[in-house]
Amino acid sequence: QTDPSVNVRVAALEALAPSVDHADVRTAIVQVLGSDSEPLVQLAALRVLEAHPSPEIRQALDELLETPNLEPLVRDHVRSILA
């Protein structure tokens, strides 16, 4: 979450994907959505989370939609997940 390289943060999210069944991993990825404003990182987190719907994830996505200046591509992806 703190590496200055967007590519490293995206790769880390992709590496966590096989472990998304674990609550602590899902929680960490949800936190990324709220704390990392880089669209590529947000999209990577969304790709990992969308296959594992839960009330926690839905709430995080609803909150993300409230973010001012959210990149339109990210906003559209969130809306497609919630639809």
Side-chain angles (χ1 to χ4, degrees), residues 17-51:
S19 301
V20 76
D21 292 335
H22 300 284
D24 56 336
V25 173
R26 276 193 314 277
T27 299
I29 295 171
V30 165
Q31 289 174 346
V32 167
L33 284 175
S35 64
D36 197 318
S37 61
E38 175 58 49
L40 291 176
V41 175
Q42 291 173 330
L43 288 169
L46 290 170
R47 283 192 302 271
V48 172
L49 294 173
E50 70 184 321

Side-chain angles (χ1 to χ4, degrees), residues 3-76:
D3 196 286
S5 170
V6 170
N7 292 335
V8 169
R9 297 194 312 271
V10 168
L13 286 164
E14 291 170 351
L16 288 172
S19 301
V20 76
D21 292 335
H22 300 284
D24 56 336
V25 173
R26 276 193 314 277
T27 299
I29 295 171
V30 165
Q31 289 174 346
V32 167
L33 284 175
S35 64
D36 197 318
S37 61
E38 175 58 49
L40 291 176
V41 175
Q42 291 173 330
L43 288 169
L46 290 170
R47 283 192 302 271
V48 172
L49 294 173
E50 70 184 321
H52 297 276
S54 72
E56 171 194 29
I57 292 170
R58 184 169 191 82
Q59 179 181 353
L61 297 179
D62 286 336
E63 291 172 8
L64 186 61
L65 284 177
E66 300 298 321
T67 304
N69 302 321
L70 185 64
E71 185 72 28
L73 184 62
V74 174
R75 187 176 303 280
D76 290 345

